[in-house]
Amino acid sequence: MVPGGPRTAAGTCSHPPALLPIAKKGPRKCKTNSAGLVAALAAARNGARRLLVERAGFAGGIITATGLPFFDGIADYHEKRVVTPGIPLELFAKMGACEPGATHLLSHNPTIDNTERFKLLADRLLRAEPNLDVLFHTIACEASVRGDRIEAVYLANKAGLCRVEPKVVVDCTGDADIAARAGAPVEKAPELQPMTMHFRIGNVRSTPDTRRLCREAVIRAHEGGELPMFYGPGLMFKFAPDEVYVHAVRVPADGSDPEELTRAEQQGRQDAWTMFEAWKREVPGFEDAYFITSGPFIGVRETRRIVGEYVLTEHDIVESRRFDDAVATGCWYLDQHPNAATVGTANAGQKVQPDPYDIPYRTLLPRSVSNSAGGRALPLGDAARRLVDARQRDGDGHGPGGRHGGGAGRAPRDHATRARRPAGPRRPQAAGRRSGAGSRRRRLTAGWNRGRWESRKPAVTWPHPTQRCRLGWP
Ligand SMILES: Cc1cc2nc3c(=O)[nH]c(=O)nc-3n(C[C@H](O)[C@H](O)[C@H](O)COP(=O)(O)OP(=O)(O)OC[C@H]3O[C@@H](n4cnc5c(N)ncnc54)[C@H](O)[C@@H]3O)c2cc1C
């Protein structure tokens, strides 16, 4: 319920919230997260006035909010060819992880060496843009609509409840918060993927058996009823030789439900400590270990997703379908985190590694709301959901936040015909790879969701041996 102002989706108000002073400059608004950071930088660099709103005290989305150093899918699996140039590559290069303008990388899922330094980089880039206003510790919590346009978004922060009147809203909350509040059609998967609390432990003396013994200790904790669920565990000595970064916590919950989200944060933290204490008790090398940090936020893989002008399907991805209005390229594998304990891996069943595929502009346009466009909450077929989100980070103005998204006062959907990224080079057809590859891949994926696929020899066994040791899985 939003007090004051025009009739909101939730009703009328007692006193008008202050019109945020920034609003007087007539900004177009979007949020700072991994997709939002790129969208806002792209738009500001293309001359659009932007207001960035972020609930955390820093930008960067999951990279900084959950402490995730991965830039998965920035390069394709087979040739390590960069498929998301533009701002994602710029961020990666400015973190010193590759040469500026690199066309190929060493890995298809490289990492940055310090998520704290990524906060500083984001601050520096945001402050360098005169067209950009930034508000941290600010939650976008409501929207009011007139006709098919969002006419105001309500923000909650230390100044109380404020209202901004953006011309275009780029909702990169990850959960389609504003699109949903504005009445745009959204949907949820029948079973949402679980959340994960990443954490770090210091002063660990790594041994050749560390990962195997950690896995066994976690299985015992799980079988003993101390640990409801887990995956892997994935242990990486990523940030320092005696510091282990852990991705293993698994908590089923709906991140768009405030009570469930609160419970998940508490459960995630408890499970992280349960693992830490089991390792300290049972695994040589953890005797003098100490718990450094978790989160700060639990990682939410999926909640609501907008029903876009186009819904990208698994078939589109597995067949690497090309779209006239492609604005980004994805290439990450189809993965699904089950709500169950999985040992030595994060996923259920085998995975399918598609060739690079297009993400059409229309997937970012929520139906029935003309001046809005989306972030992670893209309309995708079930299994394809998660792998695409980061790809719209293919900035440089091709996406909704960029010069096409609401430039010149036009609504994002007015640009649908113009939003076209020059088609990237198709991967050369490897002999025998394509012949029947499509139908073989179709067969593989067809079986995938229905579990029949287990019995078939997969095209790509997963995780790849090099992948296993890099991800710290025994
Ligand atoms: C645990 C986990 C592990 C993952 N592992 C990988 C991986 O290894 N590789 C990979 O490529 N992808 C991975 N993903 C997927 C990928 O990271 C995310 O899906 C991607 O970051 C989505 O980007 P986004 O910008 O849309 O949303 P997010 O990065 O989730 O950012 C959302 C941002 O919006 C802010 N926010 C949310 N609601 C509001 C609001 N109402 N008002 C203001 N601000 C708000 C949040 O604080 C956050 O900063 C993982 C996801 C999770 C959850």
Side-chain angles (χ1 to χ4, degrees):
M1 178 66 185
V2 176
R7 171 176 290 280
T8 66
T12 56
C13 316
S14 56
H15 59 81
L19 184 63
L20 203 63
I22 293 178
K24 292 203 174 66
K25 297 184 199 159
R28 299 177 197 355
K29 182 176 73 65
C30 66
K31 290 179 202 49
T32 59
N33 49 22
S34 36
L37 172 64
V38 172
L41 287 173
R45 290 174 182 178
N46 285 297
R49 282 203 43 64
R50 278 274 175 255
L51 167 64
L52 262 65
V53 171
E54 166 57 53
R55 69 175 171 181
F58 44 80
I62 204 158
I63 297 171
T64 47
T66 301
L68 193 88
F70 298 107
F71 270 60
D72 289 354
I74 190 171
D76 86 310
Y77 176 76
H78 301 288
E79 291 146 22
K80 316 299 180 256
R81 178 170 52 86
V82 171
V83 299
T84 59
I87 297 177
L89 185 65
E90 175 195 338
L91 293 170
F92 195 61
K94 285 193 168 136
M95 285 298 291
C98 72
E99 290 301 316
T103 58
H104 289 71
L105 300 178
L106 297 175
S107 156
H108 70 293
N109 57 353
T111 54
I112 55 174
D113 63 357
N114 191 316
T115 53
E116 284 300 314
R117 200 158 52 79
F118 190 84
K119 291 178 186 172
L120 282 180
L121 171 65
D123 287 341
R124 188 161 50 79
L125 295 174
L126 294 173
R127 280 199 297 230
E129 299 300 334
N131 286 329
L132 213 41
D133 294 304
V134 180
L135 278 178
F136 287 155
H137 296 293
T138 299
I139 291 217
C141 53
E142 187 56 272
S144 66
V145 178
R146 203 172 286 280
D148 69 349
R149 293 177 61 82
I150 296 174
E151 67 170 350
V153 173
Y154 294 82
L155 310 177
N157 58 23
K158 287 291 177 185
L161 208 55
C162 321
R163 190 180 77 223
V164 289
E165 296 167 354
K167 290 190 177 62
V168 170
V169 176
V170 181
D171 180 343
C172 298
T173 59
D175 307 308
D177 287 356
I178 296 304
R181 303 302 303 168
V186 292
E187 60 186 14
K188 277 185 193 168
E191 185 183 342
L192 294 173
Q193 293 183 65
M195 303 182 197
T196 290
M197 178 73 84
H198 289 252
F199 62 102
R200 294 159 68 168
I201 301 173
N203 201 18
V204 176
R205 187 172 40 75
S206 165
T207 72
D209 298 322
T210 297
R211 290 184 176 87
R212 178 179 60 74
L213 296 173
C214 283
R215 191 178 86 204
E216 290 167 6
V218 160
I219 293 171
R220 280 192 294 276
H222 176 62
E223 287 166 353
E226 274 183 275
L227 189 63
M229 214 175 272
F230 72 95
Y231 70 93
L235 285 88
M236 293 169 60
F237 288 84
K238 169 70 211 149
F239 300 111
D242 66 345
E243 181 191 316
V244 66
Y245 164 75
V246 184
H247 50 109
V249 169
R250 175 165 279 171
V251 182
D254 178 350
S256 65
D257 176 307
E259 280 153 25
E260 287 211 19
L261 185 56
T262 305
R263 178 183 58 73
E265 288 277 5
Q266 293 168 328
Q267 185 66 49
R269 232 179 333 273
Q270 179 54 62
D271 292 353
W273 274 86
T274 300
M275 291 181 191
F276 165 66
E277 284 161 353
W279 294 335
K280 206 166 164 57
R281 220 177 30 242
E282 300 169 28
V283 179
F286 279 79
E287 298 82 358
D288 304 319
Y290 61 94
F291 196 106
I292 300 176
T293 184
S294 63
F297 293 84
I298 195 164
V300 179
R301 286 193 174 81
E302 63 169 341
T303 60
R304 302 183 201 95
R305 52 179 190 265
I306 59 169
V307 181
E309 291 294 339
Y310 185 79
V311 174
L312 200 65
T313 66
E314 267 159 61
H315 186 73
D316 294 334
I317 289 172
V318 171
E319 294 300 323
S320 305
R321 190 169 158 210
R322 306 308 297 238
F323 291 89
D324 273 351
D325 63 335
V327 287
T329 302
C331 65
W332 194 242
Y333 59 79
L334 289 120
D335 75 356
Q336 196 92 354
H337 282 241
N339 286 304
T342 51
V343 177
T345 175
N347 298 83
Q350 300 287 339
K351 293 171 228 168
V352 172
Q353 175 62 57
D355 289 333
Y357 48 84
D358 281 355
I359 299 169
Y361 181 66
R362 285 160 296 141
T363 57
L364 305 169
L365 302 178
R367 293 180 191 166
S368 81
V369 176
S370 64
N371 64 334
S372 176
R376 174 185 69 198
L378 283 186
L380 302 166
D382 272 2
R385 196 165 326 124
R386 205 166 69 84
L387 54 82
V388 172
D389 43 38
R391 299 330 123 218
Q392 83 237 352
R393 283 181 252 175
D394 182 8
D396 278 17
H398 297 296
R403 87 171 153 270
H404 292 306
R410 295 174 66 191
R413 70 183 62 258
D414 300 343
H415 296 277
T417 49
R418 284 180 54 202
R420 182 165 296 135
R421 167 180 52 74
R426 262 207 177 274
R427 208 162 61 75
Q429 189 161 17
R433 182 168 168 71
R434 277 262 166 250
S435 53
S439 54
R440 175 165 52 78
R441 203 173 295 125
R442 250 191 311 280
R443 272 201 318 280
L444 291 172
T445 44
W448 191 59
N449 276 342
R450 288 187 293 281
R452 279 183 298 125
W453 189 53
E454 309 298 348
S455 58
R456 292 201 179 89
K457 173 110 192 46
V460 178
T461 53
W462 198 269
H464 194 276
T466 51
Q467 181 73 14
R468 285 187 85 87
C469 62
R470 198 185 68 68
L471 281 173
W473 281 329

